[in-house]
Amino acid sequence: MKYKYLPYLLLVPVFTMIIVVVFIPLVTTIIYSFQSYRLTNTEEKANFIGLDNYVALFQDDRFISSLLTSLIYIAGSVIGMLILALITAQLANQAFKGRSLFRATILLPWAVAPVVAAQAWKFMFETDFGIINHILKSLGLIEKNIPWLVSSDHAMMSVILTNVWKTTPLLTLIIISGLQTISKELYESADIDGASPWKKYYHITLPLIRPFIAMGLIFTTLQTINVIDIIYVMTGGGPGEATEIFTLYNYKVFFQYLDFGLGGAMAVIGVTVIGILIYLYSRNMNKQMDT
């Protein structure tokens, strides 16, 4: 009886932190979303306006554009990360001299702070003095410098490549852990049946690592949506609004325009969309686990 309530007491700091860091800000943001609350007008008090903020958002061309830009950014990043992670994970799972060094090298981009990574890639993508244009010119692939970050035709590709480089190691690590759970006897049986490497990968490897891929995509997608450091440092959402994703626009509404009502509505929509994505990923992962 002496230690009956000890486990509950030990959980108090955890639940307190969750309430302070997650629950209270979430409830406050939801309340703001139903109010007209701008810090730029000190005389205006927070007034309840119902769904007006939500209606205004879906009538805002910039908001719709940020949603579409986010879809392009997420789709491009996820496809690039998945392809690169599958290749690097397969290589890292092979037995060869220096494998430990190769695995450590793969994880280096993940260890770099997003702001530092973004600044480094910004220098490399610089139009006149960037190393990327210099290499492409040296190889004869281009005749004149490409304005990577100041052209709407190339800016999105630039930030996607940077995000893929930065985030792929996380997905790679998860896929490697999945590859290591596969029994070697399955491959030995396939070898006896005369299966080609591609057939072994398609019929054995991919089905068994699909739950790990789904789990990894949850983390990488959330990081892609929520981390605005790369785009903020490299382009600031420009040129124009070419790379202004939803979360970056939400940040500007909150902390530059100081419109807590509209920003709160955007945040609620963002949380809802993220919740739907997590649900879809989780449902797909559960299906993969059951089959």
Side-chain angles (χ1 to χ4, degrees), residues 11-126:
L11 289 174
V12 168
V14 177
F15 284 109
T16 302
M17 182 172 293
I18 292 174
I19 291 172
V20 172
V21 176
V22 179
F23 185 73
I24 293 178
L26 179 61
V27 172
T28 304
T29 301
I30 293 173
I31 293 172
Y32 283 159
S33 72
F34 296 106
Q35 296 178 338
S36 175
Y37 187 16
R38 300 181 182 88
L39 291 186
T40 52
N41 188 352
T42 55
E43 297 180 357
E44 181 183 10
K45 295 182 180 180
N47 299 316
F48 178 78
I49 57 173
L51 297 174
D52 287 359
N53 284 323
Y54 294 92
V55 174
L57 281 176
F58 285 102
Q59 293 176 345
D60 181 8
D61 292 337
R62 186 175 177 182
F63 173 74
I64 302 299
S65 174
S66 71
L67 290 177
L68 296 176
T69 302
S70 298
L71 290 176
I72 296 171
Y73 180 60
I74 293 169
S77 296
V78 168
I79 293 172
M81 284 187 288
L82 183 57
I83 294 172
L84 187 58
L86 288 173
I87 295 172
T88 52
Q90 192 65 31
L91 290 174
N93 196 51
Q94 304 301 314
F96 59 90
K97 189 176 181 180
R99 183 176 68 171
S100 298
L101 179 61
F102 178 69
R103 288 183 174 182
T105 304
I106 290 174
L107 295 177
L108 282 178
W110 188 31
V112 178
V115 173
V116 176
Q119 192 64 58
W121 279 89
K122 183 178 181 180
F123 285 137
M124 289 191 289
F125 277 121
E126 208 279 328

